[in-house]
Amino acid sequence: MTYPDPRPAGSAAASGASGGPSGGSVTDRLVEANRRYAAGFRDPGTDARPVLRVAVVACMDARLDLHAALGLELGDCHTIRNAGGVVTDDAIRSLTISQRALGTRSVILIHHTGCGLENLTEDFRHELEDEVGQRPPWAVEAFRDVDQDVRQSMQRVRTSPFLPHRDDVRGFVFDVHTGLLREIDPDS
């Protein structure tokens, strides 16, 4: 099934200027974009160890271009993304591998304004259970106060026994309208 392009008509991407097959699926367009990307790709010559020794945990929201927003280049950091950018058991798993096997030392947490998790509750899990007959094993991790959720995520990183480097953990809220980061005081 193909979906209409939600971008404004007349934008280069919406008009097909991206060179993707006209009327093709989103995946077809992305694969074609990858072919163009690969044609100009140059191996940065680095291994899996991030050059800046930092891991960024952020929301999966499509409005966050983390590399551009943080001035990062390919190979600079590990990026761990999920709904809300919350520190879950799986985020701890990824951070543990990032630190213990691949040498990162710093952790940056980025939530953002207007997050979809601010409009959900744990009822989402109950609705899924009603629909499919099985309760999901994971928590929604919905929140009402983005600053407090960043603090909670910082605390989860700072108290994880699996992470050897917990002294350089900082949390931020990205404003989706201005592009600015606002640092969150962990003790407020």
Side-chain angles (χ1 to χ4, degrees), residues 1-186:
M1 171 178 237
T2 60
Y3 294 93
D5 193 326
R7 293 171 287 197
S11 72
S15 66
S18 63
S22 180
S25 73
V26 171
T27 303
D28 290 338
R29 289 189 290 165
L30 297 177
V31 169
E32 180 58 32
N34 173 256
R35 286 188 189 105
R36 290 189 306 279
Y37 169 79
F41 182 77
R42 299 294 172 258
D43 181 350
T46 60
D47 64 13
R49 294 174 176 273
V51 173
L52 298 179
R53 297 169 53 141
V54 63
V56 179
V57 180
C59 186
M60 66 185 190
D61 192 291
R63 297 171 290 179
L64 278 66
D65 182 349
L66 293 173
H67 275 74
L70 299 174
L72 296 167
E73 299 292 332
L74 187 63
D76 281 349
C77 73
H78 281 158
T79 306
I80 302 157
R81 294 183 81 157
N82 64 32
V86 296
V87 175
T88 61
D89 286 346
D90 194 60
I92 292 291
R93 170 190 162 270
S94 293
L95 287 169
T96 301
I97 293 166
S98 178
Q99 288 190 357
R100 290 183 176 270
L102 298 167
T104 61
R105 297 286 186 263
S106 301
V107 178
I108 296 173
L109 307 173
I110 300 178
H111 286 36
H112 65 92
T113 59
C115 186
L117 284 188
E118 291 175 292
N119 300 317
L120 290 177
T121 66
E122 288 300 317
D123 287 340
F124 183 78
R125 290 177 70 221
H126 303 298
E127 293 164 6
L128 279 173
E129 181 179 16
D130 291 344
E131 181 182 329
V132 302
Q134 180 178 345
R135 178 177 287 178
W138 37 262
V140 174
E141 295 279 352
F143 54 86
R144 295 278 180 250
D145 181 338
V146 67
D147 291 18
Q148 185 55 38
D149 203 64
V150 171
R151 285 185 197 95
Q152 175 178 287
S153 288
M154 283 191 281
Q155 184 65 17
R156 287 177 177 175
V157 171
R158 289 182 170 154
T159 60
S160 174
F162 305 109
L163 300 174
H165 307 287
R166 298 174 288 191
D167 56 329
D168 188 10
V169 179
R170 293 171 65 184
F172 300 85
V173 174
F174 177 86
D175 187 311
V176 298
H177 299 293
T178 67
L180 289 172
L181 290 175
R182 177 174 51 82
E183 188 158 10
I184 302 301
D185 181 347

